[in-house]
Amino acid sequence: MKKIKCNSYTVEAGNLELSSFPKLLEETYKDVRKVIVVDENTHDFCLEYLLTAFPTLEDAEVILLPTGEENKVMEVCFQVLEALSDYGIVRSDLIITLGGGVVSDMGGFIASIYKRGLPCIHIPTSLLGMVDASLGGKTGIDLGNFKNQIGTFHDPVAVFVDQRFLATLPEEEWRSGFAEVLKHALIDDKKEWDRLIASKQDELFSEENVTKLLERSIAIKAKVVNEDPTEKGIRKSLNFGHTIGHAIEGYYLDLNPISHGNCVALGIIAESYLSNQKGTLETEELNEIVQVMMALYPCPEDLLTGVGIMIELMKNDKKNDQHGVRTCFLDKIGQCSWNHLISENDIKAALNYLYQAYYKN
Ligand code: GLY
């Protein structure tokens, strides 16, 4: 069992049955009621395993969230809060989230506000959940097309990463999570980036490779969160690719939703371009990043029709201050800096570069 300290709690990576999860259920949370939060996918593919492997969960209440980012909204939270109240859940009871990023973002948020905060355990079941969303205590709910505009910092009691849950993950979800894996390497670990991009496509998600990339990616995220849990400084680097990526995601949310990771990958291309234009990232490294991202992630053909709206969405990005839109730049592969001010013209040029990279021929 690999144990990684992340702020006030421990992330355990390995077989869930061999982790401290059973002990938490049988000792620390023995006499409290448990609520398991799932979505439609984890309800069908993961819940039965959990209930069978851990008989103490037999009487747990199960809350089913509608699947998808478009449902990560306050209206759904209100329904869940009412259900918790109807079930008579009290402050000492335990919430267990079983799912991807939407489930841990929303389940964590609800755990943080219901009766001013309940203990919560995350069991991520997607690659994105395992390397990013379940780690670091951020919770988030979208507000219209603005991603994660409402949220809290609420550390879970523990996070358990068991890669066996990935067995049923669709290809699109693998790619989505892998964008965050690549981002972690880009901002912190050139050796890991080189290792990842040297992997053959068909071996990328082999069991052995996934164990390695999970350990490294979780370690990078945990290191950053440990240094800056509430995002005053270095934690902003985890948002590399997300200023433009979130705006692309927000724009398409109610048109033709694109996975978070795909949008982050496109944001990484655009923000790497800006890093290069502003004189931090070498052109050779920019070209390498663009090539890697383009081989894995598509770009919508009508991207440029959304530029005006995307700029408006970026004006509300959480990293901004009174001076305008602030973003991260790569200094080089493996090193990131943050708080860089960018203009509307910079954003237009970056989106144009992104579009040209895919469609110039
Ligand atoms: N996903 C970015 C962060 O946790 O800070």
Side-chain angles (χ1 to χ4, degrees), residues 123-317:
I123 305 177
T125 57
S126 69
L127 183 59
L128 190 126
M130 290 181 187
V131 299
D132 190 17
S134 72
L135 311 172
K138 272 187 184 174
T139 74
I141 299 296
D142 301 338
L143 189 61
N145 295 57
F146 296 107
K147 289 265 308 169
N148 298 333
Q149 286 287 304
I150 304 165
T152 52
F153 286 101
H154 184 66
D155 271 0
V157 172
V159 175
F160 297 100
V161 173
D162 185 336
Q163 72 184 79
R164 290 175 305 167
F165 283 117
L166 298 174
T168 55
L169 203 65
E171 169 74 16
E172 168 71 2
E173 287 296 319
W174 276 105
R175 280 177 200 272
S176 182
F178 192 59
E180 298 287 2
V181 172
L182 290 169
K183 178 207 72 183
H184 285 157
L186 280 174
I187 62 167
D188 191 71
D189 189 344
K190 173 156 168 54
K191 244 170 87 183
E192 178 65 354
W193 168 263
D194 289 340
R195 191 188 74 77
L196 290 168
I197 67 168
S199 306
K200 295 200 184 85
Q201 284 249 1
D202 55 344
E203 286 167 12
L204 207 51
F205 302 133
S206 69
E207 201 179 321
E208 190 194 355
N209 206 27
V210 170
T211 307
K212 268 194 209 153
L213 70 83
L214 280 176
E215 279 183 13
R216 193 59 212 126
S217 211
I218 292 169
I220 294 169
K221 170 123 191 199
K223 182 180 82 170
V224 173
V225 169
N226 285 336
E227 202 176 321
D228 178 21
T230 54
E231 201 172 298
K232 302 285 187 286
I234 193 172
R235 187 164 180 173
K236 291 180 189 176
S237 66
L238 292 173
N239 292 303
F240 176 60
H242 284 64
T243 308
I244 293 178
H246 268 165
I248 296 174
E249 190 177 356
Y251 173 68
Y252 284 102
L253 199 59
D254 43 20
L255 294 174
N256 180 19
I258 305 177
S259 76
H260 175 69
N262 195 151
C263 295
V264 168
L266 298 176
I268 286 175
I269 294 179
E271 291 175 27
S272 296
Y273 165 78
L274 285 177
S275 310
N276 174 259
Q277 290 298 296
K278 302 290 177 184
T280 61
L281 184 69
E282 296 287 346
T283 303
E284 204 181 315
E285 292 201 326
L286 167 66
N287 291 340
E288 181 176 304
I289 294 166
V290 174
Q291 209 182 358
V292 169
M293 297 300 166
M294 282 180 65
L296 288 166
Y297 302 96
C299 175
E301 280 182 46
D302 60 353
L303 180 84
L304 295 183
T305 57
V307 171
I309 295 176
M310 288 175 204
I311 289 174
E312 289 311 307
L313 291 171
M314 273 177 248
K315 285 184 185 163
N316 222 347
D317 188 277

